[in-house]
Amino acid sequence: MESFSKATKAELLSENAKVSSAFFFGLFVSSGSYDEEGNVEITTDLTSLFSFCKKNLKILLKKYEINENIDENIQNLESFKINNKIFYKIIFKNNILEKLFEKYGLNIENNIENNLHLISEKNEDIKNFCKGMFIGCGTSSIKISQKPNEKTSSGYHLEFASKSLPLLREFAHILAQFDIFPKLIKRKNIYVLYLKDAAQVSNLLALIGANSSVLTLENEIAKRDFRNKINRQTNCLSANISKTVDASLKQLEAIEKIDRKIGLSALPPDLEEVALLRLANPEEPLSSLLLLSNIKLTKSGLNHRLRKIVSIAEKL
């Protein structure tokens, strides 16, 4: 079964999706590195990322009139395994990404703050940058229930992991513009920017254009809320039943004690009537007792008389 995180990335990399240069910058800063020959390499477990990059890079090179052969300058290396998980390497040769960034106005030699400040001026590019970040270093542990009554124990955790603290700090500032406020922690030798609130996760998915995933998540939230409501109601009902049973047993013990010691006829007529009613219906709640008798009392009044009987028994 495909994870929610991977399904979200597959949606973002669909054949009809188009991205701007800001997407490639987000992908580059979040998961890019340089090999020994100075080429940019991206390591990924997404089989569709190579064809997605190739198609969109071709469109952008034409837009910016960069005369480079895309087939010669992007390469998909053979897969390899790490802990039984398959990864792929995408190689961008001949400084092709750097040329694209330069045409767009980005300079990879500048600090991350200056570059992201340029991106944050354009709303559509912000979304594309965030999309590139999610594809590059984003993941989620959210589990979607497959059956109506299936209970999922996971929360709504989504995170971005990177060795670059300045990158995640600036990224957090960008997200704050959209009322998305992640928290930042250090985990061993990397930094993690994370969200745990379902609404915040949903807002982030909407920001990066993962609309189907938003609907899937909202449906999961509704199912979990419904299950929690049913559980609360069931627990409340069980607690009420337990309290009713305990009270009934205490009343029966008191009535039997009075009957042994002095006899029920020694009680005032109104209390004797209630005692006999309870003896005849040991398991019924107070509301049912009233329906089974002709006693003109409220539920509170019946309970008051039963408490008097218990009090008399305690004094014997």
Side-chain angles (χ1 to χ4, degrees):
M1 178 180 19
E2 189 176 46
S3 70
F4 177 71
S5 179
K6 206 157 188 179
T8 301
K9 292 184 179 183
E11 179 188 355
L12 296 175
L13 299 176
S14 63
E15 290 185 5
N16 298 325
K18 293 182 180 179
V19 293
S20 71
S21 304
F23 167 83
F24 283 96
F25 190 68
L27 185 65
F28 170 73
V29 296
S30 63
S31 61
S33 60
Y34 287 96
D35 63 15
E36 294 178 353
E37 298 176 4
N39 300 314
V40 173
E41 63 178 30
I42 304 288
T43 302
T44 181
D45 63 341
L46 303 169
T47 56
S48 58
L49 183 58
F50 174 74
S51 59
F52 181 86
C53 287
K54 186 174 181 179
K55 181 189 75 173
N56 281 277
L57 195 54
K58 189 174 184 178
I59 295 171
L60 291 170
L61 293 180
K62 184 177 181 180
K63 174 184 176 181
Y64 290 110
E65 299 180 346
I66 301 174
N67 297 318
E68 295 287 354
N69 188 319
I70 189 67
D71 292 319
E72 294 178 358
N73 291 305
I74 183 170
Q75 179 182 0
N76 191 21
L77 296 185
E78 293 182 3
S79 61
F80 59 95
K81 280 187 176 182
I82 300 178
N83 296 330
N84 292 323
K85 189 174 183 179
I86 300 175
F87 289 88
Y88 308 86
K89 275 191 179 180
I90 303 174
I91 307 296
F92 297 89
K93 298 181 178 180
N94 198 27
N95 299 320
I96 195 168
L97 284 185
E98 289 90 331
K99 292 174 183 177
L100 175 64
F101 299 153
E102 187 177 346
K103 286 284 186 177
Y104 175 73
L106 297 168
N107 185 341
I108 61 173
E109 294 181 0
N110 288 343
N111 61 41
I112 196 70
E113 180 181 357
N114 290 340
N115 283 316
L116 294 194
H117 177 70
L118 176 63
I119 288 173
S120 65
E121 294 175 353
K122 303 174 183 178
N123 201 50
E124 193 58 36
D125 281 345
I126 292 175
K127 295 179 180 179
N128 273 279
F129 174 77
C130 294
K131 185 185 297 186
M133 285 286 293
F134 184 73
I135 295 295
C137 69
T139 188
S140 170
S141 60
I142 299 171
K143 291 180 179 168
I144 304 299
S145 52
Q146 303 300 310
K147 300 176 183 177
N149 296 322
E150 181 184 358
K151 184 178 180 181
T152 51
S153 58
S154 67
Y156 299 103
H157 185 89
L158 185 148
E159 70 178 39
F160 298 84
S162 174
K163 291 184 178 180
S164 173
L165 179 59
L167 170 64
L168 293 184
R169 279 179 173 165
E170 292 303 320
F171 185 40
H173 291 156
I174 287 178
L175 294 179
Q177 298 176 32
F178 299 89
D179 294 325
I180 300 171
F181 303 101
K183 295 182 179 179
L184 182 63
I185 60 169
K186 187 174 183 181
R187 186 187 296 157
K188 294 183 179 179
N189 62 335
I190 62 170
Y191 298 92
V192 178
L193 199 68
Y194 69 93
L195 296 167
K196 281 187 174 293
D197 178 76
Q200 293 266 290
V201 171
S202 182
N203 290 342
L204 187 141
L205 294 176
L207 176 66
I208 61 179
N211 298 323
S212 294
S213 295
V214 170
L215 292 176
T216 299
L217 179 61
E218 294 293 343
N219 186 47
E220 179 66 19
I221 293 170
K223 285 194 288 186
R224 292 190 190 184
D225 286 346
F226 179 73
R227 283 197 299 266
N228 290 337
K229 182 179 179 181
I230 293 298
N231 287 338
R232 285 194 296 271
Q233 290 176 341
T234 301
N235 292 338
C236 183
L237 181 60
S238 297
N240 288 337
I241 291 173
S242 179
K243 286 168 66 177
T244 298
V245 170
D246 290 343
S248 179
L249 288 173
K250 188 173 182 179
Q251 293 158 10
L252 287 168
E253 289 174 0
I255 292 167
E256 289 170 356
K257 183 177 181 180
I258 293 171
D259 193 27
R260 289 195 313 270
K261 297 266 185 177
I262 60 174
L264 295 180
S265 59
L267 291 171
D270 58 339
L271 297 185
E272 181 185 7
E273 182 181 25
V274 168
L276 292 171
L277 179 64
R278 170 50 84 195
L279 279 175
N281 303 279
E283 297 179 357
E284 298 296 334
L286 298 183
S287 55
S288 297
L289 284 179
L290 290 172
L291 293 175
L292 293 169
S293 71
N294 296 320
I295 300 176
K296 303 298 182 183
L297 278 176
T298 63
K299 183 178 174 180
S300 176
L302 179 60
N303 189 42
H304 179 68
R305 289 190 184 182
L306 286 166
R307 284 204 304 268
K308 277 188 174 181
I309 292 172
V310 171
S311 178
I312 291 171
E314 289 174 349
K315 293 177 182 177
L316 291 176

